[in-house]
Structure formats: C-alpha cells, structure tokens
Amino acid sequence: MIGYEIFNKTLKNMELYPVFGNPGTTEIPMLEDIESDNYILTLHDSISVGMADGRAQLTRKPSMVNLHSILGIGNSMAFIYSAYVHKIPMIITAGEQDNRHIFYDPLLSGNINDMISKYTKYSFEIRSANDIERAVRRAYISSITPPFSLSFLGFPMDTLEENAEFRNLTRPEVNSDIVDDRAVREICNEINNSGNPAMILGYEADLYGGIWHAKEFSRKLGIPVFAEPFASRGPYDSSDPYYAGDLPPVAERINKSLSAYDLIIMVGGDINLYPYSHSDLLSGRRIIKIGLDISGKIGDSYFMNPATFLRESLKYLHERKGEKIPVRPEVNKNSQIQRVMLKIHENFPGYTIADESISASPFLRQIVGYNQDSYFIGKSGQIGWALPAAAGMATVNPKVLCVIGDGAFMYTSQTLWTIRNYNLPVKLIILDNHGYGILRKFQEVNYENTGKYLTFSIELKKVVDSFGIDVRKNDENMRDIEWLRSHDGPAALIIRVDKPYGYNLFKK
Amino acid sequence: MIGYEIFNKTLKNMELYPVFGNPGTTEIPMLEDIESDNYILTLHDSISVGMADGRAQLTRKPSMVNLHSILGIGNSMAFIYSAYVHKIPMIITAGEQDNRHIFYDPLLSGNINDMISKYTKYSFEIRSANDIERAVRRAYISSITPPFSLSFLGFPMDTLEENAEFRNLTRPEVNSDIVDDRAVREICNEINNSGNPAMILGYEADLYGGIWHAKEFSRKLGIPVFAEPFASRGPYDSSDPYYAGDLPPVAERINKSLSAYDLIIMVGGDINLYPYSHSDLLSGRRIIKIGLDISGKIGDSYFMNPATFLRESLKYLHERKGEKIPVRPEVNKNSQIQRVMLKIHENFPGYTIADESISASPFLRQIVGYNQDSYFIGKSGQIGWALPAAAGMATVNPKVLCVIGDGAFMYTSQTLWTIRNYNLPVKLIILDNHGYGILRKFQEVNYENTGKYLTFSIELKKVVDSFGIDVRKNDENMRDIEWLRSHDGPAALIIRVDKPYGYNLFKK
Amino acid sequence: MIGYEIFNKTLKNMELYPVFGNPGTTEIPMLEDIESDNYILTLHDSISVGMADGRAQLTRKPSMVNLHSILGIGNSMAFIYSAYVHKIPMIITAGEQDNRHIFYDPLLSGNINDMISKYTKYSFEIRSANDIERAVRRAYISSITPPFSLSFLGFPMDTLEENAEFRNLTRPEVNSDIVDDRAVREICNEINNSGNPAMILGYEADLYGGIWHAKEFSRKLGIPVFAEPFASRGPYDSSDPYYAGDLPPVAERINKSLSAYDLIIMVGGDINLYPYSHSDLLSGRRIIKIGLDISGKIGDSYFMNPATFLRESLKYLHERKGEKIPVRPEVNKNSQIQRVMLKIHENFPGYTIADESISASPFLRQIVGYNQDSYFIGKSGQIGWALPAAAGMATVNPKVLCVIGDGAFMYTSQTLWTIRNYNLPVKLIILDNHGYGILRKFQEVNYENTGKYLTFSIELKKVVDSFGIDVRKNDENMRDIEWLRSHDGPAALIIRVDKPYGYNLFKK
Amino acid sequence: MIGYEIFNKTLKNMELYPVFGNPGTTEIPMLEDIESDNYILTLHDSISVGMADGRAQLTRKPSMVNLHSILGIGNSMAFIYSAYVHKIPMIITAGEQDNRHIFYDPLLSGNINDMISKYTKYSFEIRSANDIERAVRRAYISSITPPFSLSFLGFPMDTLEENAEFRNLTRPEVNSDIVDDRAVREICNEINNSGNPAMILGYEADLYGGIWHAKEFSRKLGIPVFAEPFASRGPYDSSDPYYAGDLPPVAERINKSLSAYDLIIMVGGDINLYPYSHSDLLSGRRIIKIGLDISGKIGDSYFMNPATFLRESLKYLHERKGEKIPVRPEVNKNSQIQRVMLKIHENFPGYTIADESISASPFLRQIVGYNQDSYFIGKSGQIGWALPAAAGMATVNPKVLCVIGDGAFMYTSQTLWTIRNYNLPVKLIILDNHGYGILRKFQEVNYENTGKYLTFSIELKKVVDSFGIDVRKNDENMRDIEWLRSHDGPAALIIRVDKPYGYNLFKK
C-alpha cells in the first residue's frame, strides 16, 4: 500500500478525523488520500492548533493537526505552547522536504524537532512508509497516557510515496482511572481529623470528569470549594452552595482567602500566580495536592486521578457539621461590565464558553459561572486563543459562545473564515473597549504613564462582516442578544464597553 | 538611574528606534519610558518581526522588536526563523516574569531561550539593571558582525525597576568590508584562464551593496549573470544586458541552465532547491563561492565580503570577448498573469517590491525585474511575510509596493491596521486566484486529486476596507493602477486572476 | 540564614545525603556547610552520577549529585543519559558563576539548561537564596513522581551568600501504588479467556517491588515468564520454575521465542532491540502492556503500577492447568565462560551484581541468575557504568559484586579510588579478554575484517593495584574466588578468558 | 561503491586521517574500510576529542573524531564544549542505529543532534550513502570557515551498507586572511593620535599566525603587550622586551594593570574573567577589538583576521618614542613552585606545553613563557584536558611537554594507554600537591572551612607505571628532569610540591 493511503487509513482506524490544517507543498503528499470531509482548512496555521485544542478539551481524545513544515510549526508555537500548558492530548504532524535532497537545505527544510520537542512527550520523524501506521498509533498512545500531552510526527515527502504493508492496527486506549487506596485512606483520615479544611479544585477535576464527585465530597464535609487561580477550564459547578469562588492569582490575596483554613486539599489543580506580590505564599500551611499533574511547587503531593480520588474518598470521609462558606460577591448592577455579564448569564444557559475577555474574565467567571465542560480560557496567557478554540469546540458541540475583547479578537480574526466555511455554530460576543484594557489597567496601577500606545479603535463590525458572518453592534443593553443566541449558524455581537471597571488584580 | 530609563536612553544612543511591538503586562515596565513616537504597535506579535525584517533589509542595521513573553515569541517563531534565514540584523527583546516569584511558574513565565536560541547568535537574559545597557550594545554588535544575525534579550520585570549606573555608551559599528587580496588574485587568475565562465549572484550581493560592482565585473568579462534560485532580494540589475535570468530552484533545470559553462563563480549566494528532481546537482562542475555566508554545499568557498570581492577583482580581471548571453523569454501577452506583471512594471518604476505572489513570482521577477534594494521575498518559504515586510520597509522608504496572493494576504491581514494607523505609504496589489494556487499546481502536476480543499473565496475588498484602507477591485486590465500609485497614503488594488498559467516549476 | 546553610539544612531534611560529587570553584559556596561525612568525592564527575544511579536503583529514592558547572555536567552526560533511560529518581545540582558578572561569560559559565534539560523532568536555576529550600524540595517531588525521573538545579555562586528565611520544610513523599480496578478486571478476563498466554516482565517489576506478586501470578496461571530483552535490572526470580529466560533483543528471535503464545502480557517492561533483523516484530500478535513507563511501541497499554497490577490481578485470575514452560539451556561445562559464570554463581549467593561483562552478560544472567534487587546493567548501552554503579550500591548494601570486561573497566577505573577511600565493600571480577570482545564478535559476524584495532592488552593487575585495591589474577579456575568473597573490604580478581565463546546475538 | 568505502576514500581525499576514536557496534560499519594505521584508539571517548583538540590547535585544520553513538557523545560533552570554546576546527562523527528499526528506540539510539547541536556550526544526519561524501566535505568547509568551529555528522548503520556514486571530490580550503583596509587605517590613525596606548593580544593572534607581526607592531610603537586573561594558547613571545605579562582574569586587577593607558588595542582576544570582583570593568576606557571572534562584551569591534591586521597596520603606524614597559616580576627563588618552573624552563626549550598545573599555571606562564605554538591550556576551565591534548599534539610534534596537577591528571589518566600504544613522545610532569590545590586556595581565601574533602593522595607512580610508561618520582630538585627530556619515547616525572604558594587570584 502507498504511504499516503496508509496514512489515511490509519487516521480512520484511530478515529483521528477531522484533520485541522493549513497546507503547503510539503503536505500535499500526506493529504493525497484524505477526503475533503475529513479536513478543516484554516487560513493561518496557528488557528488549526487552536481549534484542535478546543476540540480536545471537549473530547478528551487526541485531535489531529497538520501543519506546513517548520514554517507552520513556527507560526503555531504559541498555540502549541498553550496546548502543552493545558495538558491536552494532541497529535501534531507536518510534512518535510524530500530526504533525497535534504542535504541541500532546500526551501521548507529546517529541523522541526529542534523547535517543538521541548513541548511534546513524543517526537519522531518518519523514516519510511513502514513507520507510518505504528508511529501514528504510538503518538496517539503517548498523548493519552496521563497526564495528557502532545506528540509530533514529521513526514518527509518521499516516505509517503513508498510502499509498505498496512497492518490495520486498532485504535488504542489508555486508562487514566488510577487510584491508590492506601493514600486515599491516609488523606481522608487527615481530613477527618482536621479542624478547618477547605478544598481547591483545578482543571483536572473537569478534564477527568470529577465535578459530580467533587460536589458529593464538599457536601459530605460541608467545606468551601475554591477554584484554582486561572484554571484552564471551570473546575466545579459554580452554582453549588459550597462554591467559594475563584482564587485570585496573587500570593498575598491567596493567603488572605485561605487564612481561615488549617488544611487545604488541592485536587487536580495548582497555585498559579500572575502579578508579583511580596507575600510568602501560604507559608507554614498544610497543603495536600492530589492529581496527575504534579508540580511539587507547594505542599505534599499524591499522584492519582483526581476524579477517582474524589469518588473513592467518599467511602472514608466522615460527614461533618461543615464550615461557613465564604459569601460570594453580589452582582453590582451599577457596573456596566457586570450588567453585560448578567445578560450573558441569562441568555446563554447550557453554553460552553471560550473566554478571552481578559480584564473582564473575573466578572465572567463570577457572574456567568461554569460547570462541567462549560468554561475554558487560555491558561498560558496567550492572546488570540479563544476564537479558534471556540471554533474547534463547535465541531463537536452546537452550543458554543466565545466572549472576547477587541484586542484579543484581532489576533486570530481569520478564524471567522473557517467558522463561516464549515458553518460552525459559534456565537461571538466581542467586548469592544478600544484597545488592550488589561495593559492600560496594569500601567495605571503601577505607573503614571497610562494608556500609551495601548488604545486603538477598529471597525470591528466591518472586520466581522468581511468574513461573511452576521454581525450586529449594540451598546451595553445588548438588545440583540436574543438574536445572537437564536440565530441560525454563526453570528457575532459587538458590545461597546467604555466604562472603566474595577478589575483590581494589580492593586498593590 | 532606573532600569527602564536606562533602556530607553540606550535605545536612543544605539539609534534603535522605532521599536516594533505588541506588548503584554510583562513588557509594561520596559516600555515605561519609551515615547509613543518611538513605538510602532502591531495587532499580532509576528507582524512586529515581519516589519523589523523589512526595515532591516533596507537599512542594513539592526531593527528592534519587543515581543510579549514566551507567547509573543511563540507567535512569531516563523517570522523569527525567516529573519534567521535572511541573515539580517535584528534585536529581539521580550519581557519576562518577575524573578522573585518565577519559582512558581507564574502566568507568562516559560523559558524563552529554549525556544529561540537556535536561531540567534547571541541570547541573554538580563540579570540586573546593571546589565541592560551593555547587553543591548552587545546584542547590537553581535547582530551586525558579518554574517548578520539575530540577537535575543530577555528582561525580567523586576530588573527594570532596579537602579544602576548609566554609562552613556556609544552606538557601535562593525565593519564588513573585508577582503583577501591573495584569494582575489587566485580567483581572477582562474577566471582569466577559464574557457567559459558564468556568474551566479545571490542576496549578499545586494545586502552588502555590490550590484554596481557586479555590473562592472560582468561587463569586463562579458559573461552571463544568473540570479541564485530563490534569492531573498534581487541580487542584480535585471535590466542589465548581461543578466541571464533567475536560476530555477530545481537541480535538473539548474544543470540545464548552466550546462554551457566550465567555471561558475557564485558571489554572495548559494544553490537553493525547492522541488526534488532526480538529477545530481552540477556534478563535476568547477564552482567557486565567494561570500560571508558560506554553506559548503557545493564547490570551493572563499570567505570575504562579496561586494568587496567584486570591486577588487576588477583590478585583476582581463577583459575578454565575452560569451553569448542566454536570451531571456519575451513577455507573453497572451498570458493574463504576464500582462498583469507588465502593467505593474510600467506603473511602479523605482518602487521597492515585497513579493508574495507565490506561483506568479517567477513572472514578477522576470517582467517587473529588480535592481538595488528593489525586490524582496521571504526566502524561508514562509507565507504571510510580504505584507508586514512591506510595512516595515515603508517606515524608511516612501515607495513600497506589495504584490501578494489572496491566500498569503490572509495570513497577516492585520498588518493593514498598523499601515493605516501610522499612515505607512504601502501600495498593495492582491492577486486573487481564489485560494492556494501554488498548491493546486503542485497537486495537479504530481497527483490526480486537484484542488481539494485548496480553493476558497474571500471578499477581499471588504477585508481590506474593514481596516480603513482605500481599496478597489479590478479585472486584469487594472484600470485603477494609476489611482493606486498616485493615491495619497496606503491603498490597495485587488486583481482577479482566474486564468491558469504555466508555472511549471514542478513539471517533471 | 545564609544560602549555604539553607542548602545543607534542606539536604538534611530531605535525607539527601550523601552528596556524590567532584567540585570546582563554582561549587565551593554550595559545599561550605556540608560535612565531610555527607560527601563522597569522586575523581571524575561522571563517576558521581554513576554512583548516584547505583544507589537510587537500590533505595528507590532520589540520590544527590553535585557537579562542577557546565564542565562537570558535560563530563557526565552519558551517565546522565543512562540514568534518564533507567528512569530512576536523581537530583543533579551544579554551581554556576556569579550572576553579577555573568554578562562577561566568565570562566565556568555556560548555559547548563541547554545541555541537560532534555533529560530532566524539572530543571531550574536558583534566582535567590529564597528559592533554595523550595526548589530542592520540588526537585525531590518531581523526581519521585512516577515514572521516576531526573531533576536539575543550578546554583549561581552569589545566591548561596545571600540571606533568606529557612522554612524547615519536611521531606516529601509521592505515592506510586496506583491501580485501575476496572482495567485489572478487563485484563484478567482476557487472560482467563485466552488459549495460550505468556508473560514478559520488565525492569519496573523489580523497581516497584513486584517480583513476589509476579511469582504468585505465574504460579496461578502456570504460564512462562520471560524477562524483557535487556532489562536494566533483573525483573524476576530466575530460579522460579516458571522462568523462561531472557528474551533476546532481536526481532526475529523474539518472534521465535513467543511464537507459541496467543496473548502476551508485558508487565513493567518493553520490547528492546539491539541488532537489526529484517523480521516484523510480533506482527499480528495480541500484546498487553501494563506499567508506568508507557512507550506505545507495540500492543495496547494500561497505565498503572505494574507491581500493584500483579497483586490485584490475583483476585480475578482463574487458576489454570498451565502451559509447558520452555526448557532453559543447561550450563555447557565445555565452555570456559560458562564455567566462570558457574563459579560466580556458586560463590556469591545473595549478592547484588552490577554487570558489564558485555558479550558474556547473557551467560551471567542465564547461569548466575537474579532475583529482587540483585542484578543491574546499564540499559542505555553505556560503557563504564557498572563499576561506579556498584560503588554507589555499596554505600547501602554490603554485598555487591561487579563483573566487568577489561575494556569496560578502563572507562571509569578511577572509581577504585573512591571505593578505596571510603572503603566501599565492592568485590570486582574483571574478565580480561584483551579488548572489546563484543565489537570483535560483531565485526566477525558481519564483516571479514575481524578484530581490527579492537584488541589490546593492559596490565590490569597493576592498574587495580595502583589504587590500593587488593587484587589477584587467576586463570579460569578462579582459585582465589573464595579469597575475593571473604576479603575484608574491596578486592578484585582478574580472570583471563581467552577462549572465544558462542555469543550469537548477531548471528543472522 | 559501498557507503563505508566512500567514507574511507573521502577521509583520504580530505586528509582527515588519523581518526581519533573509541568505537561501539554502531561504528563498526563506518570503520570497516579504515586501515589500522589511520585510526588512533582511546580507552574513553572523551580522550578522542581531547586528542583531536590538541592536534587541531597545531595543524589549524579539522581533526576527525569518531564517537560511539549518543553515549560516546555524552561521555565527551565537556571536551566538545571545550573545543567549542577554543574555536578550533573539528569534525565529530558518530554511528547511529539502523534506520529500519529506529522506530523501536533500539539500544544505542538517541537523538544526538539534541545533545550536540548547540556547540556545532553544522550538524547533519546522513540520509543515504549518496550524502556521505558531500556531507563530510561540507562539514570540513564549515569547520574551517572563520571563525573555526565544530561540525557533527551522524551515520546510521544502514547508510554505510548502501551503494552510491563516489565523486572523488577534492579537499576544500577556505581562506581566512581577510582584512579591511579602511578600518586598518582608521585604527592606525587613532593609535597615531593617542597618548598612551597598550595592546592586549589573545589566542587568535597565535591561532592565525600573527605573533611575528605583533612583535613588529609593538616594536614600532614601543608599547606594552599584555596577554588576554586566560588565553587558550600563548598569544605572544613572552621573551619579547615589550611583553608586559598576562592580564589576570579579575576585573579589579585588570583595571589596575591598564590604568595607565588611554587606548587599548585588543587583537585576537577578549576580556575573560574568573572570580567575581565588585569593580566595574574598564569603565569609560577606549577599547578597540580586532579579530574574527567578536563577542561585543566591551569596546568597539572590527571584524577581520587579527594577524592580517597586525601585518597591514605596519604600513600606517607612525613610529613613536614608546612607553615604559611594566616591569615583570623576577623569579622568586625562595618559592618552591617557582624553582620548579625555572627547571622546566631551563630543560625544555622549544617544547610545546599543554598546561593543566592549574593553581601553578600563572607561574608556568610567567617563568617558562611561551611563543608561537608553544603553550596551550583548556580555556573552558575543563579539568582533564591537557593530557589528551598533549597526546594529540604529539601526533604532529615530537616535542610536547604536559605539566599537570595530580587531581587533573586523574581525570583522563587512561590517555597514557594511547600514548604508550602509539608511542606518542609526550613528556609528562605531574605536580603532586595531594589534591585540588586551587579549590583549597579558593576555600581558604573566601571561607574558613579549608581543605574539606579536597585533599587526597594517590600513588601516582603506580598509576603511571600501570600503563607501561616509564616514570620517576622526584622532590622539587627534579634530578631526573634531564632523564625525562632525553628519554626515548613517552615518560613521566612526578614532583612533590608540598609548599603552599602565593597564588592570590582570589585575594579580595
């Protein structure tokens, strides 16, 4: 069988379709046998990776990306880095120049492994058509072995024209439901004997399907549940009575939020910081971390599936009277941004949100809230992530909302073409604050020199419209929000948010 | 003096303004003292690098880029790789998280050196404010020491808030005008004794200012001058009678083009290939390479400034009767694409062209031609390069034309915002062939499966217009070409090119 | 508290003593507070890593290495790579130049992360004394989180002179006893329904303490147990009736060894190959891999602790009649090398063996055999590993035997100084076959040109004696073997093995 | 022609013999055709690189190393790093596993490029036999293109068994004699107008053959000539009246040494520091650097061959009255170490010295002195460098003396086997101060804790003797020094140096 036939058949066996990609000549051989229905074209390489990221977040299975040589990899490095930070399964492929003249460093050659391999668990360059099937399968296994990760495969053009045997290998699975019973008992014993415990949940709680167990867990103990600072996905049900809000990513404020608790059980997450504060983080506090993504930054660590831990611990935990759950802030209806978020909350129930409202994100998480598979943000801090991610999510979920700032939207506005072309049902709300709001805020708090070259204005409606997406522009009253939700197919609503609001993350 | 003051003053001393950038919070400290007039904002990090590339190509001095942490670097890796391939001087900087809590891997941390250092000659992370001035100066020297190259400097946020002494160091220069007289004589002697020599000129001929000398050289010998295949910049005067055209980047066809010559003098360039062909490249041929960028792929190499070599060799070369110069093809007026190129040729004399017409590039180079500082193309094969590069060139040159395909245009269409915002006088011609023409061609020649997912259509006029750029749409007669040229400020013309044309690069 | 005091106290709290090291000026600050009793000096940097490897193999806890700047790291890279292949826990530290003049690239500066970070899970450069305690603890956690791995910490000299708070953090533990009950049942069900299963055990079976469970497992099923090809440590009890020998690291021969079985359960190991053979490896065979070190090369994979799997599966497996266990070869008493191995077997019961007899290794494993914690070999293929490893093992185990070839011995003969200086009770048997036997064999089988520059002779007795180690030289009758075993302290016996023997690994 | 035949014939054409190596199975195919006379076997991989370094220092041509897979590379990384620091030409090769089963990560596979490519200018993995000849030639060209550098080539075993055409390519040369006449005049003009100039010469002055010109230069100007701190090779004639001694590698002391001069011309060297001192380095001083190895650390830089610069500048310099040359210190005959150095000076005229006497090196350079090709030291700070380097030098120079400390000697004592086996005429003086003298000194100056685990004693005479090298042991009177020099073939003299001496590099 010819190499490119093997490639196509292997992708089918592995259920790796669709391929997200943006091809060049080096990829033409790889794609020869791939049907149009199995390929989603993007207009910039990085958008392919962003879409694959969004899709993998929801499917928990490897998504497949095909990039154009070292250039496509290069264009996508921030997205690749973000997927690496998100610890999701993904297989990245690229075509490479023909080995028979690679000595001459032809156009489009360049060592991809050098650029990408720090961010992949498995990286391999196909040597002959005989490798294709096994290597794709191995990349698959590697990416789903916990903790999930990225794989890279390079395909020199000539290898796809060679003949080899097709083995018809089956799609692999790797279990992740691993638990240590002795450890669970040990931890539960400590909880049972503690005075004042609290829980922090992180992204793994949702990634491994543990929110339901977490609710049982907190109910049994009656303890507050905080979300880890800057979780890549909503790690809990924010409507739950035990939900105590998101921890802010600032050492000083984390210390304050958790000052009342003598035992902190951190399940599937970690302490993530953003602006520097002088405080020593949780000094002297007893912290237990349970999960598959162990950093060792703080406290003691137990390596197991966090969802399984939550489930199994219910056997050993004693019910207790319960702690006072910290009161979460009311919506401030005098705040423009909070009113906007309230509208979103009321109009998009059951939607999965890809968030890049940046300086407004804390309000979105607070007011719109989240639950299983319902809230996602680029954890690396990357800008331009949410729109491609939303598009990728929309390949498996018909109810996807992207809430994004104007600055962020402009990074990857080309995603709209793919959304339009494949009729992906993304609803888009662009919060237009005329520039990079979070930077202005940071500048304002720390320096005198406010707003310098961070303010700009773009005719967003024309930009969106130019891609053939139905779009309206509203003031904060968002009278077209119902139109947006019920619109058939993708649509966008631009909201002018011109009132400054009190995002005080940087307040010293 | 505070770190950020030192940074600003150093940039002034080094004449490194403007800074091309797209900032995030990690860069706010760096920018604190930089005046708006000295900063050019782009809406995507990679566009900053592309603009800096374009500018450095014309100024031959380091241009200055400020990217946003590892994410901004990641977004720009293809452009960084391209600048690395172009061997131009550039200083890339990025802000980094505060060292005082870097242990916690805060948001926006991430080892930049790991990602970029394969492509820089000098890479350094500032340790304290005391390093800032010397490190910028060192990065400058490193980047202009031949062959030109990239430098990277990382600035942890805290280092910019520290105090240090400002030394008021002067802007450095590094000479590149180096020659080996004995070698020049040796080479000239060989030329003088040869039967049938030809010359290949490459990008260095123009980068180091040697076109005028090259013309004297060829005139004295009466020999044909070929351009290296896929030169990053026009290496000769294409109107010169000795100009023999561009070599095609295919081994078999290079062999054919050069079959008549017994001595090939390759000055400031190299043999660059693109599609594979089975032929052994220039087997048994006598080849002499002179330049600062020595690859050693083929022939014998002499390390010296190629422009200086050309100048000095005039002393030693004997005048000779001269060879028959290969006849270059006439413009085929039956060809739509060639008629378009002819119009461009007639209407944009004296313009610097940034080319990304891709499958039409050979016609552009053939018909529009080039001379000193007048033609540029992304040599890495990167797509989306030409528009930012044109914008960067327009910061120093009022006559810049960008000729680009629709697919290529869409990679970095956000550049138009910067062009508009800073009123950069770029004239833009978009050749709209509804998709990725070169890929369709490649597919057509090598496979049966033509055009699969490589064809699309975009309302380019609306896209351009959405950025506030004046734009018109013409058929191949380009009746608005005069409007385009004489338009005050940036403007765009979209040309529908729907006739297939015989770009036969891939013809086996 | 001063940085170096924090460093010492942290090492004490983490029970990371002894430090294996070879210092230079950059390490003097780190070592300032470390007592002589807690430091083991080696005469070459790499020997420190080898000793740490050996020690970690037995303790299953991180061992601590202190190397001299980038040079010490560089000298040790093969040993570091080997420890990485062995997947053992280790913390590697190095001193680095003073940050205050690092800009000048002083002597002994150089980016260590660039060299080592591909082989470590965690790599961090201390930024200030405040990081020291937390970073050492994090490196510890990272290294013992399954699968075990290496960590690197760099200590700029100045950071050790700064003051910071000492938090008195406790030694961390990370559990590895993780299991997936549903997966265990699924696997057991498949075994119960299979016709003809066989088991392959790998290094993890011993590393995670599973040999006893493996014996129960095989007894219950009555199935043969093969050792993975080239296991880094004896993965089973070779005296067990179900033991079927080591698989050879050749595809063709693995296929033959396993041809009778329809289900292959691979626990804690993998298929490791050495010489190439044309056969397709285990084509079409049903293979299940269970372990923490999942490569995905072949078959289906289950991620859990292999020892725990073996223990838990006993609940679900049905007893079965049992298969015929392959008959293992008798000792051939006409073979010189086999007689030698028999003597070793008879005289060193209960010893832990570090093996680098190379071409004789298959006989050693076959005749001397292994059990829990009793046999180790450098799995990377590194030469010079066994002697330092044995020395490291002897810091925790009084009964260590190193069996090594003359060529291998000479790589790291300086280890003898450390053995002597710290009176480490290593017994050393050097098999003297006058050169690189395995290479001669490989040459002989594949080429005509036998033995070319691979034969040499060294006065090994003088070499050993020069380090103050008691040494005797015997012929194959090894009359001093009893002397060797009962000798008080380290001692060596050199055995001349001059008869060629049938190591037919390379036989085509 | 078969791949290994091509390899051998190419090495012959390129005059790359002898190959320094230490093979494993992966190298057996490469070596199949290489005659014993063309191969120098070492007993540790790193020694091959050290020998190649020494040889290249003298020949100024690439030397050829063949290492064993990633393990041999790993064992040699410190030596490779040193050769990289020395900027000498070298081609490093290694065998790699057979591509046909590389998918299975067989024993001895492992990505070498990942480990080595930061330190090579050119790194390539052979794809087929057709690449072999051209790639070796390219590696050669790359390594000798100024500034000299390392190349790496990987040879998968299967590629050496394939057939390909042998092109019989000739040995390349690349000129380095490049100069910029305008720059020379500019510099000379500045010198002519300066008040009080001084010169610093660095390693490039000797590497590119400029000592003679440097003497003319200093004579004409009558200015003092300092050696750069820690030059890798003696950069001047230390018997010259203008020689002002070596600069110490400490900022504060460099400032002091150069305080009298208003213009510092630094030719072919740089400012190298070792211990940190608080002083700002040469603040406000006018410094001009000329050479091919431009760091940009300090001053202004001119890129050209330093030897050519010295030669050409003689045309433009005005003779001047001359400065007072700093008086160099007398030999202190009360100092044991200085008396030892005096003996060496008197007995080894005309010898090339490889120095690793470490704490005694300043005295060696002061008293024994140097001239063209006569003094070498490991500039990276690596220990164990001098003995292999001396052995490599002795393959082209019959008069080589290695002066080494006992600690340093023990790192690579196995070199003695190669010296003996190939009868390389190295004379070896081991200065036995019972341990790591320089570390004790550093500890003594900076800390109270003197000598802790840095003192040891080894029976060096037995160690040397065990390799079959004639050896004697003397007290400081060195009565056998004449025996050493006149001994036929290699020989060693061990000198007990037990008197502490005033090496005050670290004195604050």
Side-chain angles (χ1 to χ4, degrees), chain A residues 463-478:
Chain A
V463 173
V464 175
D465 176 64
S466 71
F467 289 101
I469 301 281
D470 288 310
V471 57
R472 297 188 180 179
K473 194 167 168 183
N474 282 184
D475 64 13
E476 62 179 273
N477 293 317
M478 301 174 76

Side-chain angles (χ1 to χ4, degrees), chain A residues 117-118 134 137-138 141 145-146 167 173 175 177-180 280 294-297 299-303, chain C residues 117-118 137-138 141 145-146 167 173-175 177-180 280 294-297 299-303:
Chain A
S117 66
K118 280 266 175 176
R134 296 179 302 195
R137 194 174 189 275
R138 182 171 178 179
I141 293 174
T145 299
R167 294 174 184 81
E173 296 196 46
N175 65 304
D177 186 19
I178 45 173
V179 73
D180 177 341
D280 196 21
I294 300 295
S295 78
K297 290 181 203 171
D300 281 315
S301 298
Y302 290 90
F303 180 64
Chain C
S117 65
K118 281 267 176 177
R137 196 173 186 275
R138 182 171 179 179
I141 292 174
T145 299
R167 295 172 183 83
E173 296 196 46
V174 176
N175 64 304
D177 187 18
I178 45 174
V179 74
D180 178 341
D280 196 22
I294 300 295
S295 77
K297 289 181 206 172
D300 281 315
S301 298
Y302 289 91
F303 181 63

Side-chain angles (χ1 to χ4, degrees), chain A residues 366-385:
Chain A
Q366 178 199 324
I367 296 166
V368 182
Y370 45 70
N371 202 334
Q372 185 176 322
D373 280 358
S374 75
Y375 174 83
F376 297 88
I377 192 168
K379 192 190 189 174
S380 64
Q382 198 206 342
I383 308 303
W385 179 85

